[in-house]
Amino acid sequence: MKPEQLPVSASPKSLQPVLDRIATEVQALPGRGRPADYIPALASADPRRFGMAVADLDGTVYGVGDWQQPFSTQSITKAFTLALDLSLDGDLLWEHVGREPSGNPFNSLVQLEYENGIPRNPFINAGALVVTDRLHTLTGDAAGTLLDFLRAESGNQGLTFDEGVADSERAHGDRNAALSHFMASYGNITNPVPTLLDQYFRQCSIEASCADLALAAGFLARHGIRADGSTLLTRSQAKQVNAVMLTCGTYDAAGDFAHRVGLPGKSGVGGGIIAVVPGRCTVCVWSPGLDQRGNSVAGVAALDRFTTLTGLSIF
Amino acid sequence: MKPEQLPVSASPKSLQPVLDRIATEVQALPGRGRPADYIPALASADPRRFGMAVADLDGTVYGVGDWQQPFSTQSITKAFTLALDLSLDGDLLWEHVGREPSGNPFNSLVQLEYENGIPRNPFINAGALVVTDRLHTLTGDAAGTLLDFLRAESGNQGLTFDEGVADSERAHGDRNAALSHFMASYGNITNPVPTLLDQYFRQCSIEASCADLALAAGFLARHGIRADGSTLLTRSQAKQVNAVMLTCGTYDAAGDFAHRVGLPGKSGVGGGIIAVVPGRCTVCVWSPGLDQRGNSVAGVAALDRFTTLTGLSIF
Amino acid sequence: MKPEQLPVSASPKSLQPVLDRIATEVQALPGRGRPADYIPALASADPRRFGMAVADLDGTVYGVGDWQQPFSTQSITKAFTLALDLSLDGDLLWEHVGREPSGNPFNSLVQLEYENGIPRNPFINAGALVVTDRLHTLTGDAAGTLLDFLRAESGNQGLTFDEGVADSERAHGDRNAALSHFMASYGNITNPVPTLLDQYFRQCSIEASCADLALAAGFLARHGIRADGSTLLTRSQAKQVNAVMLTCGTYDAAGDFAHRVGLPGKSGVGGGIIAVVPGRCTVCVWSPGLDQRGNSVAGVAALDRFTTLTGLSIF
Amino acid sequence: MKPEQLPVSASPKSLQPVLDRIATEVQALPGRGRPADYIPALASADPRRFGMAVADLDGTVYGVGDWQQPFSTQSITKAFTLALDLSLDGDLLWEHVGREPSGNPFNSLVQLEYENGIPRNPFINAGALVVTDRLHTLTGDAAGTLLDFLRAESGNQGLTFDEGVADSERAHGDRNAALSHFMASYGNITNPVPTLLDQYFRQCSIEASCADLALAAGFLARHGIRADGSTLLTRSQAKQVNAVMLTCGTYDAAGDFAHRVGLPGKSGVGGGIIAVVPGRCTVCVWSPGLDQRGNSVAGVAALDRFTTLTGLSIF
């Protein structure tokens, strides 16, 4: 056992001092990266903000810093739409999207062209668009279905879309429109592209806090069981989502994230990251400053410290 | 808990019935794939052979089928040279090779060209050549250092190189020569290319059984501690090796392997696969028939059943 | 001088027997390829149709077979919009589109991504979209400007758009929409994508005969001078258009075309090809059956025979 | 006719004042680029040197500046080995190498991988290695055959290999070794790689002057006829070589060269360029300063002026 590892008892209550220590350490980080600047709503975020929350299996939440402050969830939502679609589509989903790391930037069209319009995995933009397209076909309202789910799991009925953010995305949406039309040319998109983009941008615009997201991701630590005890995913499907998060969840830094943090995780350009300790707890961290690959600098550092201090890595 | 999951007590002795059941199920698999056919020594293997061994943390081994039959380890050795080099080189290694999934075939030159001669990870051929090059520079005998290590950890002094296999590889070595010269043109290979290739082909030619390899990989389940109690890797470095195995260990099927098996693993074209349950045990499986991506068909199926039956996935 | 080369006097009148001989030889071609089948209007064309026309510098036209039969000009129009835009934009155009062969299929997005939204040349689809976008910005009606030009140069006021073809293209336009949005994301498209696509599909839908197109291309043989003696392009600009036609005019078979035919040429999936003998004459050939790279099988064969029989290659 | 075009009579003697004028204008060029610096022998060349020679069909040569100064021919030799191999191999050559522009850097491995070891054209390094490999197989001494040919056509028995340059190339030969082994892995190289590289580096090391090379290239202007009246290539084969020079002769700037100069040309990193006016004359220019794509800055400028002043473009 490494000397710096703290004793973590069976009770997650003991995590509070860990969170406090991490917050102090992160405070001292020399650089914090820069907020995403492709839309004004994200660019104005303060990179010194930092929050972190841990939810145990029964829904108790511990937090530090800005852990109750809502932020723009962005790509974090892709983990939830993946789970929602998988619960409806089952293995059929994997005929429309792969589950291999891409080795290319998140919005690349190159691999898509070499592989006939089937995106490598559900977390690059092309793959997330396919998942939303399918969820929309199956439910009639992909973004609404997602919002309902997040409200139910977090117990926070106040969660909403940020229509201003969605509008901003739409105004910078040429790349996602290109991806969608491109896949449509291969028959891998069913809804009209403008409809799909509208759903997609609303989905990404949802605002939620670390506490909300740590609770909402709980089913991934509970092997597929929702907060109310009902089953969203089979144990095998929950494993699938965690596996995709580990191998593909942090843009093209998944290997580095697995290496440093060693947990399934999904990041967003709003600066949030959710991570899962299967069978134990979920963690959500937020700080808006991003590294060059689009992941929160302080967020990754905090998760790195979390697994080092608690030994709660999957490896 | 899924109904088909068996009760696995704290004692690994309870694994023997699991192995027996898996062997029976695998027997019934309709297709077994085809042995690697690029060199005669591998092509002649019988795809109906099957062996599986589990070693617990204290070195007790349980097995089924051909679990004591030596086979050609091939790329499985890359997990060991990575660990050996990491123990000597530390983080310096990561300046010469990345740790991200490649998204391309194992012997591709494309990504190498776009990324200036730095291979994506230590398990694609280019990356493994870099690791062997460094290990050879640091020890003066990369292949010999590896053989000594495998003998010590497995307790089997009879492990040897198969010079016939090494010669066959040499006769079909143009692609690896191309990779080596290509990286040398970027200054990322230090030894003369013929020396490097000689080391590399001997390394891959080592013959060992499932029992040998399950024991030899034990340090990865013991967070870096060797069989004799000495430290090969820090806890953090052991985590790094496991993380690279999970994200890059099974050619371009790593996502699928994580999805089905959910354990760090490293496969070889000889039909073997090692897998690690951190803190619990190691598993080695062997069956020579390969799928299109170069992984043992029966081997992956057996590991899939293993994690399903025992619940011993990391996710 | 090769024995099979015919004596071609200074007078182009002597070309009529050459055309007759070519028509006879092409009749005997074993295979004719298959018409483009991505839209019904093209798929129904009869691959046995064949026409060829030569226009000398003063506008006299010689023809054989279906040389007065209108067909769908498709990508042939890209040579004309390039010239029209170059006459207005001058060298500024080359900041928006390159002039190098692409080495990739005509509708590829790969190179575009590596090169920040600047298409390799004006004849791949992406480049043609940029040219149409600029021409539309400068004239307010790109397709109308083109139609007026073709009517004036051919002397055929009956040339029109085929709105049925344009509608068909629109219904299969996802790939071009993807290219347009993709370039728009780099700021290299100015008009709204639906407007641009509407202009582009109408442009490609123009119907014209071999005689019409041979006459309309006359300015390229006259070093930039239009039928009425006015100047469309400087001598240097006319050379530029011919150079782009030679290096990029026949999809990814430009090297093969230069090799066999040895003339600047531009083909279309309607089965037409225009070719230029600078300072001497223009040629247009039509036959709807295409080879795998999208060029008319009988058309290329006829031009190959034409330069062999007349010695009128530029090499 | 552009006002700045000079009257060029049927007699090439009138070219001397054109050459003098070009030399004066080139003198005034602000930048001259930088000599190739990957081997010392080339790096020490003086970028202010400039020579230009024109040879008419009967072997009379006109020159200006350093037109009789030997320089390192480098890739210019690829035009000659292509012709020599084509004279022996005929169309069989085109099964081993393509004739399409590559759209990628001259020493890229990417396209080679996507196209199974068949290089795009004979002028990228991979393609030139294939041509030399075949010529060596057919003659037993590729470099010697080339040297004999250059001596015979130029009438200069003093032409030799520069063994110092060949040795330097060998010391930096990893990239070409990689290309060769890579193609050998596809069965597209017959000779042992060290033998092939030795031949290739000697071939590229030949020293010759503008006068020598303009004379030696004469067969390309004479439709395949050698200086002594014998036939090296059929008219069709000579056209093929010129076509490949136009579309692929100046690295990845072939489109730009066709655009500015409008002649078949082949450049080398020694700073030389040969160009062909079919049926009229050949031109060779030399100045060691290169642009970013490896072509002589003053050389391209001089050829641009040459075709502008004489109207001797093929377009």
Side-chain angles (χ1 to χ4, degrees):
Chain A
M1 187 164 293
K2 295 189 61 185
E4 79 167 333
Q5 189 170 329
L6 300 182
V8 177
S9 77
S11 155
K13 194 174 301 182
S14 60
L15 289 172
Q16 186 68 52
V18 176
L19 297 185
D20 294 341
R21 177 164 165 187
I22 290 171
T24 306
E25 291 183 6
V26 162
Q27 208 83 316
L29 273 184
R32 285 292 184 90
R34 298 174 48 175
D37 57 5
Y38 70 103
I39 59 170
L42 297 178
S44 61
D46 177 354
R48 286 166 306 186
R49 304 295 294 273
F50 173 81
M52 188 170 187
V54 178
D56 64 19
L57 295 186
D58 68 7
T60 314
V61 193
Y62 306 84
V64 73
D66 301 310
W67 66 295
Q68 292 169 307
Q69 168 68 38
F71 60 89
S72 194
T73 55
Q74 298 292 326
S75 292
I76 293 177
T77 57
K78 296 173 184 176
F80 296 99
T81 50
L82 170 61
L84 289 168
D85 187 73
L86 202 54
S87 76
L88 298 171
D89 243 344
D91 281 349
L92 185 58
L93 173 61
W94 305 120
E95 298 178 12
H96 295 272
V97 62
R99 50 207 191 199
E100 294 301 327
S102 85
N104 278 311
F106 70 101
N107 58 0
S108 172
L109 279 94
V110 171
Q111 213 153 37
L112 208 49
E113 181 161 0
Y114 289 132
E115 297 175 6
N116 299 319
I118 307 294
R120 266 296 171 96
N121 66 63
F123 290 160
I124 52 173
N125 280 15
L129 285 161
V130 165
V131 171
T132 298
D133 181 64
R134 292 197 65 76
L135 188 59
H136 193 64
T137 298
L138 293 167
T139 64
D141 182 5
T145 300
L146 169 65
L147 185 62
D148 288 347
F149 178 82
L150 295 178
R151 285 175 172 171
E153 297 304 297
S154 68
N156 181 351
Q157 292 300 315
L159 297 184
T160 57
F161 303 115
D162 182 328
E163 297 290 354
V165 165
D167 288 346
S168 272
E169 299 274 7
R170 236 172 251 121
H172 296 79
D174 274 310
R175 188 77 174 231
N176 283 313
L179 288 167
S180 301
H181 278 293
F182 191 70
M183 293 188 289
S185 77
Y186 287 102
N188 201 23
I189 289 292
T190 300
N191 292 286
V193 171
T195 302
L196 170 58
L197 292 178
D198 181 64
Q199 288 289 319
Y200 182 71
F201 292 139
R202 295 181 82 213
Q203 159 190 331
C204 291
S205 81
I206 293 174
E207 297 241 313
S209 69
C210 289
D212 297 327
L213 291 170
L215 286 168
F219 71 98
L220 290 172
R222 288 185 301 260
H223 305 303
I225 307 302
R226 292 184 59 162
D228 64 4
S230 66
T231 297
L232 178 68
L233 300 177
T234 66
R235 189 183 183 95
S236 168
Q237 288 173 330
K239 185 169 90 170
Q240 289 175 17
V241 176
N242 282 327
V244 174
M245 287 172 72
L246 189 86
T247 53
C248 320
T250 41
Y251 306 114
D252 48 348
D256 194 58
F257 188 84
H259 193 93
R260 289 181 63 186
V261 175
L263 292 178
K266 183 73 205 84
S267 58
V269 293
I273 309 175
I274 57 169
V276 179
V277 188
R280 290 293 294 270
C281 61
T282 51
V283 190
C284 183
V285 64
W286 170 63
S287 183
L290 307 181
D291 60 27
Q292 290 191 327
R293 294 191 281 194
N295 298 308
S296 169
V297 171
V300 174
L303 289 169
D304 182 350
R305 292 304 292 152
F306 178 80
T307 53
T308 299
L309 290 171
T310 63
L312 287 175
S313 157
I314 61 173
F315 295 119
Chain B
M1 185 165 294
K2 296 188 62 184
E4 75 167 334
Q5 189 169 330
L6 301 181
V8 177
S9 76
S11 156
K13 193 172 302 182
S14 59
L15 290 172
Q16 187 67 54
V18 176
L19 298 185
D20 295 340
R21 175 163 166 188
I22 291 171
T24 306
E25 290 183 6
V26 162
Q27 207 83 314
L29 272 184
R32 284 293 183 90
R34 296 175 47 175
D37 56 5
Y38 71 102
I39 59 170
L42 298 178
S44 62
D46 178 354
R48 285 166 307 184
R49 304 296 294 271
F50 173 79
M52 188 171 188
V54 178
D56 65 19
L57 295 185
D58 67 7
T60 314
V61 193
Y62 305 84
V64 72
D66 303 309
W67 65 295
Q68 291 169 306
Q69 168 69 37
F71 60 87
S72 193
T73 55
Q74 297 293 326
S75 293
I76 292 177
T77 58
K78 296 173 184 176
F80 296 99
T81 50
L82 170 61
L84 289 168
D85 187 74
L86 202 54
S87 76
L88 298 171
D89 243 345
D91 281 350
L92 185 58
L93 174 62
W94 305 119
E95 299 179 11
H96 296 271
V97 62
R99 50 204 190 201
E100 294 301 328
S102 83
N104 278 312
F106 70 100
N107 58 359
S108 172
L109 279 94
V110 171
Q111 213 153 36
L112 209 49
E113 180 160 0
Y114 289 133
E115 295 174 7
N116 300 316
I118 307 294
R120 267 295 172 95
N121 65 64
F123 290 160
I124 52 174
N125 281 16
L129 285 161
V130 165
V131 171
T132 298
D133 181 64
R134 292 197 64 77
L135 188 60
H136 193 64
T137 298
L138 293 167
T139 64
D141 182 6
T145 300
L146 170 65
L147 185 61
D148 288 347
F149 178 83
L150 294 178
R151 285 174 173 172
E153 297 303 297
S154 67
N156 181 352
Q157 291 301 314
L159 297 183
T160 56
F161 303 116
D162 181 330
E163 297 291 353
V165 166
D167 288 346
S168 272
E169 298 273 6
R170 237 172 250 121
H172 296 79
D174 273 311
R175 188 76 175 231
N176 284 313
L179 288 168
S180 301
H181 278 293
F182 191 69
M183 293 188 290
S185 77
Y186 287 103
N188 201 24
I189 290 292
T190 300
N191 293 285
V193 170
T195 303
L196 170 57
L197 292 178
D198 180 65
Q199 288 289 319
Y200 182 73
F201 292 139
R202 296 182 80 214
Q203 159 191 331
C204 292
S205 80
I206 292 174
E207 295 243 313
S209 69
C210 289
D212 296 328
L213 291 170
L215 286 168
F219 70 99
L220 290 172
R222 289 186 300 262
H223 304 304
I225 307 302
R226 292 184 59 162
D228 65 3
S230 67
T231 298
L232 178 69
L233 300 177
T234 66
R235 189 183 183 95
S236 168
Q237 288 173 331
K239 184 169 90 171
Q240 289 174 17
V241 177
N242 282 327
V244 174
M245 287 172 71
L246 189 85
T247 53
C248 319
T250 39
Y251 307 113
D252 49 346
D256 194 58
F257 189 83
H259 193 93
R260 288 181 63 187
V261 176
L263 292 178
K266 182 74 205 83
S267 58
V269 290
I273 309 175
I274 56 169
V276 179
V277 187
R280 289 294 292 268
C281 61
T282 51
V283 189
C284 183
V285 64
W286 170 64
S287 182
L290 306 182
D291 60 26
Q292 290 191 327
R293 295 190 282 194
N295 298 307
S296 170
V297 171
V300 174
L303 290 170
D304 182 350
R305 293 303 293 152
F306 178 80
T307 54
T308 300
L309 291 171
T310 63
L312 287 176
S313 155
I314 60 175
F315 295 119
Chain C
M1 186 166 290
K2 295 188 61 183
E4 77 166 335
Q5 189 169 332
L6 300 181
V8 177
S9 76
S11 156
K13 194 172 300 181
S14 60
L15 290 173
Q16 187 67 53
V18 176
L19 297 185
D20 294 341
R21 177 165 166 185
I22 291 171
T24 305
E25 291 183 7
V26 162
Q27 208 83 315
L29 273 183
R32 286 292 184 88
R34 297 174 48 174
D37 56 6
Y38 70 102
I39 58 171
L42 297 179
S44 61
D46 178 354
R48 286 166 304 182
R49 304 297 293 274
F50 173 80
M52 186 171 190
V54 178
D56 64 19
L57 296 185
D58 67 7
T60 314
V61 193
Y62 305 85
V64 72
D66 301 310
W67 66 294
Q68 291 170 306
Q69 168 69 38
F71 60 87
S72 194
T73 55
Q74 297 292 326
S75 292
I76 293 178
T77 58
K78 296 173 183 174
F80 296 99
T81 50
L82 170 60
L84 289 167
D85 187 74
L86 202 54
S87 75
L88 298 171
D89 242 345
D91 281 351
L92 185 58
L93 173 62
W94 305 120
E95 298 179 12
H96 296 272
V97 62
R99 51 205 189 200
E100 294 300 329
S102 83
N104 278 312
F106 70 100
N107 58 359
S108 171
L109 279 93
V110 171
Q111 212 154 36
L112 208 50
E113 180 160 1
Y114 289 133
E115 296 175 7
N116 300 317
I118 307 293
R120 267 295 171 96
N121 66 63
F123 291 159
I124 52 174
N125 280 15
L129 286 160
V130 165
V131 171
T132 297
D133 181 64
R134 293 197 65 76
L135 187 60
H136 193 65
T137 299
L138 294 167
T139 65
D141 183 5
T145 300
L146 170 65
L147 185 61
D148 288 347
F149 178 82
L150 294 178
R151 285 174 172 172
E153 297 303 297
S154 68
N156 181 353
Q157 291 301 315
L159 298 183
T160 56
F161 303 117
D162 182 328
E163 297 291 354
V165 166
D167 287 346
S168 272
E169 298 275 6
R170 236 171 251 120
H172 296 79
D174 273 311
R175 187 77 175 233
N176 284 312
L179 288 167
S180 301
H181 278 294
F182 190 69
M183 293 188 289
S185 77
Y186 288 102
N188 200 25
I189 290 291
T190 300
N191 293 286
V193 170
T195 303
L196 170 57
L197 291 177
D198 180 64
Q199 288 289 320
Y200 182 73
F201 293 139
R202 295 182 81 215
Q203 158 190 331
C204 292
S205 80
I206 293 174
E207 296 242 312
S209 69
C210 289
D212 296 328
L213 291 170
L215 286 168
F219 71 97
L220 290 171
R222 288 184 302 261
H223 305 302
I225 306 303
R226 293 184 59 162
D228 64 2
S230 67
T231 297
L232 177 71
L233 300 176
T234 66
R235 188 182 183 97
S236 168
Q237 288 173 331
K239 185 169 91 172
Q240 290 174 17
V241 176
N242 281 326
V244 174
M245 287 171 72
L246 190 85
T247 53
C248 318
T250 40
Y251 307 115
D252 50 347
D256 193 57
F257 188 82
H259 193 91
R260 288 180 63 187
V261 174
L263 292 178
K266 183 73 205 82
S267 58
V269 291
I273 310 175
I274 55 168
V276 179
V277 188
R280 288 294 292 270
C281 62
T282 52
V283 189
C284 184
V285 63
W286 170 63
S287 182
L290 306 182
D291 60 27
Q292 289 191 326
R293 296 191 280 195
N295 297 307
S296 169
V297 171
V300 174
L303 289 169
D304 183 348
R305 292 303 291 151
F306 178 79
T307 54
T308 300
L309 291 172
T310 62
L312 286 175
S313 156
I314 60 173
F315 296 120
Chain D
M1 188 164 291
K2 296 187 62 184
E4 75 167 335
Q5 189 168 331
L6 300 182
V8 177
S9 77
S11 157
K13 194 171 301 181
S14 59
L15 290 172
Q16 187 66 54
V18 175
L19 298 185
D20 295 342
R21 177 164 166 186
I22 291 171
T24 305
E25 290 183 7
V26 162
Q27 208 83 315
L29 274 183
R32 285 291 184 90
R34 297 175 49 174
D37 56 5
Y38 70 102
I39 59 170
L42 297 178
S44 62
D46 177 354
R48 285 167 307 183
R49 303 296 293 272
F50 174 80
M52 187 171 188
V54 178
D56 64 20
L57 296 186
D58 68 6
T60 313
V61 193
Y62 305 84
V64 72
D66 301 312
W67 65 296
Q68 291 168 307
Q69 168 69 38
F71 60 88
S72 194
T73 55
Q74 297 293 324
S75 292
I76 292 177
T77 57
K78 296 172 184 174
F80 296 100
T81 51
L82 170 60
L84 289 167
D85 187 74
L86 202 54
S87 75
L88 298 171
D89 243 345
D91 281 350
L92 185 59
L93 173 62
W94 305 119
E95 298 179 12
H96 296 271
V97 62
R99 51 205 190 199
E100 293 301 327
S102 83
N104 278 313
F106 69 101
N107 58 359
S108 171
L109 278 94
V110 171
Q111 214 155 35
L112 209 49
E113 181 160 359
Y114 289 132
E115 296 175 7
N116 301 316
I118 307 294
R120 268 295 172 96
N121 65 64
F123 290 159
I124 53 174
N125 280 15
L129 286 160
V130 165
V131 170
T132 297
D133 181 64
R134 293 197 64 77
L135 187 60
H136 193 64
T137 298
L138 293 168
T139 64
D141 183 5
T145 300
L146 169 65
L147 185 62
D148 288 346
F149 178 82
L150 295 178
R151 284 175 173 172
E153 298 304 297
S154 68
N156 182 353
Q157 291 301 316
L159 297 183
T160 56
F161 303 116
D162 182 328
E163 297 291 354
V165 166
D167 288 346
S168 273
E169 298 274 7
R170 236 171 252 121
H172 296 79
D174 273 312
R175 186 76 174 232
N176 284 312
L179 288 168
S180 301
H181 279 293
F182 191 70
M183 292 188 292
S185 77
Y186 288 102
N188 201 23
I189 290 291
T190 300
N191 293 286
V193 170
T195 302
L196 170 58
L197 292 177
D198 180 64
Q199 288 288 320
Y200 182 72
F201 293 139
R202 296 182 81 214
Q203 158 191 332
C204 291
S205 81
I206 293 174
E207 296 242 312
S209 69
C210 289
D212 297 328
L213 291 170
L215 286 168
F219 71 98
L220 290 172
R222 288 186 300 262
H223 305 303
I225 307 301
R226 292 184 60 163
D228 65 3
S230 65
T231 297
L232 178 69
L233 300 177
T234 65
R235 189 182 183 97
S236 168
Q237 288 173 331
K239 184 169 91 172
Q240 289 174 15
V241 176
N242 282 327
V244 174
M245 288 172 71
L246 190 87
T247 54
C248 319
T250 40
Y251 306 114
D252 50 346
D256 194 56
F257 189 83
H259 193 92
R260 288 181 63 188
V261 174
L263 292 178
K266 182 73 206 81
S267 58
V269 292
I273 309 175
I274 57 168
V276 179
V277 188
R280 289 295 293 269
C281 61
T282 52
V283 189
C284 183
V285 63
W286 170 62
S287 182
L290 306 181
D291 60 27
Q292 291 191 326
R293 295 191 281 194
N295 298 307
S296 169
V297 171
V300 175
L303 289 169
D304 182 349
R305 293 304 291 153
F306 178 80
T307 52
T308 301
L309 291 171
T310 62
L312 287 175
S313 155
I314 60 173
F315 296 120

